[in-house]
Amino acid sequence: MKSSFRFAAAVIASSVLGLAAHAQPASQERVIRFGHLNNADHPVSFGVKRFAELLATKSGGKLKVQEYPASTLGNEMQQQSALQGGVQQMSAPATTSLAGIVKEFGLIDFPFSVGNFAQADALLDGPLGQALIAKLPEKGLVALGYWDLGFRNVTNSKRPITRAEDLDGLKIRVIPNPVFLETFKGFKANPVPMPFAELYGALDAKAVDGQENPYAVILSNKFFEVQKYVSATNHVYAANIVLVSKKFWDTLSADEQRMMNEAANESRAYQRQVSRAAAQRAVGDLQAKGMAFNEIAAPEQARMRQIAKPVIDKFAATYDPAMVKLYNDELARIRK
């Protein structure tokens, strides 16, 4: 009788301990080095901070994020290599930087494809964005979703861009990405690929006439000090992608991976809201700093879209046909 009682007590104690263990998040003490290119006052940085707060709360303080802003861990390509090698745990580069390892990411860079934020979110959060993310693990990366960087716009030191011909002959720094290079060649500009960290110095030295970036990036990096004109070309919608080293990801428990995913999903809406509000404010701030701002008339925007169409056709022909079909189907869906 006594042994039966002891056995029952042991089973109950074991069950209670099991429940207690299950109630606690299965998480170790970990430090996550999260690098990015932007300054600490940029919306990407605000997204990192919110992600860090959420992850700390979910893990009971065990998963700690250390932010490394302003290219302190290297440029986009260097950080990508560090993630693939497992030296760095996270980054949030522009999606454009991934076209070198998964060329179909170039679909996101196709000029004039989306006309507003709702369309951009629908494209990236839907089947196309997820299909692109699914191609990354074999390249040593895991993606937790997309953040807002904003519509890209041209600045330069020569003249306002009011029509396609105004780009003729301008030396414009572009991301080292073939779609961007060909797009600006199509407008008869002279595109110069260059790492972002070198850009301010090149503008200051007049090695290039201009560049193209979202308003918040233009303001945060003080390009108003070395550029006169900012034109609302809105030629490409740019997103950041939240990346994790697959080598690091594979060391995480299922609970830790779930916490990471939840923190990324919950920080996404906040980051987009902050980024878009900052873009609106940035236009006024840039004008207050002395930049001349101009919009482009809708008919001219439509004409620029037609000029850029051969670039889209050229690259689409080199991509996975299934991905191109998905892209076109998704564009048709979100434009309705």
Side-chain angles (χ1 to χ4, degrees):
M1 190 75 176
K2 281 182 181 176
S3 67
S4 297
F5 176 79
R6 278 199 298 271
F7 177 75
V11 168
I12 291 166
S14 170
S15 299
V16 169
L17 284 169
L19 284 170
H22 187 71
Q24 296 297 317
S27 181
Q28 301 178 24
E29 293 269 348
R30 298 184 190 271
V31 175
I32 298 168
R33 285 153 51 90
F34 196 144
H36 60 91
L37 304 195
N38 302 99
N39 294 330
D41 64 350
H42 186 275
V44 165
S45 180
F46 295 140
V48 174
K49 291 175 176 71
R50 176 57 65 93
F51 173 80
E53 290 166 7
L54 289 164
L55 192 57
T57 300
K58 290 174 187 297
S59 66
K62 289 187 174 178
L63 296 178
K64 298 182 177 71
V65 173
Q66 285 183 353
E67 182 187 11
Y68 292 83
S71 304
T72 48
L73 295 182
N75 65 32
E76 279 178 320
M77 294 299 104
Q78 290 165 331
Q79 293 196 41
Q80 185 183 104
S81 296
L83 259 66
Q84 290 170 314
V87 179
Q88 181 178 329
Q89 289 73 42
M90 291 187 73
S91 70
T95 57
T96 49
S97 65
L98 294 174
I101 57 170
V102 176
K103 64 181 178 180
E104 285 76 18
F105 268 95
L107 289 163
I108 299 173
D109 301 326
F110 279 177
F112 306 106
S113 59
V114 296
N116 55 52
F117 293 127
Q119 289 181 358
D121 292 347
L123 187 68
L124 293 173
D125 297 343
L128 178 80
Q130 296 311 303
L132 289 168
I133 280 174
K135 289 179 174 284
L136 288 172
E138 66 188 53
K139 306 296 183 181
L141 302 169
V142 172
L144 305 184
Y146 300 92
W147 284 354
D148 179 80
L149 190 54
F151 282 94
R152 301 182 76 91
N153 299 285
V154 172
T155 71
N156 79 99
S157 57
K158 300 282 191 186
R159 54 183 173 264
I161 308 302
T162 60
R163 57 196 186 118
E165 287 76 10
D166 292 328
L167 286 162
D168 195 337
L170 289 180
K171 285 185 288 185
I172 303 286
R173 177 269 178 181
V174 296
I175 290 170
N177 171 300
V179 176
F180 277 69
L181 280 165
E182 291 298 320
T183 297
F184 279 88
K185 281 179 186 173
F187 289 116
K188 298 182 181 174
N190 180 12
V192 181
M194 181 187 298
F196 183 77
E198 297 172 17
L199 178 52
Y200 184 96
L203 293 169
D204 191 28
K206 301 287 192 288
V208 290
D209 300 316
Q211 59 86 53
E212 44 84 52
N213 260 301
Y215 296 129
V217 175
I218 296 165
L219 179 65
S220 178
N221 290 276
K222 300 186 177 179
F223 293 155
F224 54 82
E225 295 177 347
V226 287
Q227 297 277 268
K228 175 63 180 170
Y229 302 99
V230 55
S231 303
T233 49
N234 289 324
H235 52 280
V236 169
Y237 174 76
N240 285 78
I241 186 165
V242 180
L243 295 180
V244 186
S245 161
K246 188 172 187 298
K247 283 190 176 179
F248 173 68
W249 183 257
D250 290 344
T251 69
L252 300 177
S253 68
D255 259 355
E256 289 171 325
Q257 290 179 352
R258 175 185 53 77
M259 288 181 243
M260 294 270 285
N261 271 312
E262 286 177 358
N265 288 337
E266 290 168 28
S267 61
R268 181 178 60 201
Y270 166 80
Q271 192 279 334
R272 284 175 174 171
Q273 179 188 357
V274 167
S275 182
R276 288 160 190 177
Q280 277 192 311
R281 289 194 308 272
V283 175
D285 291 344
L286 291 170
Q287 288 174 289
K289 301 284 188 186
M291 290 194 86
F293 170 77
N294 72 281
E295 293 185 340
I296 294 176
E300 182 58 26
Q301 195 93 17
R303 193 170 75 90
M304 291 175 82
R305 187 180 297 117
Q306 284 306 307
I307 293 170
K309 191 174 182 303
V311 175
I312 294 173
D313 295 341
K314 173 182 174 178
F315 282 95
T318 69
Y319 294 164
D320 176 354
M323 291 294 287
V324 175
K325 182 181 186 305
L326 178 58
Y327 170 78
N328 288 323
D329 289 349
E330 283 296 286
L331 282 186
R333 176 181 71 85
I334 67 179
R335 285 172 177 170
K336 281 180 182 173

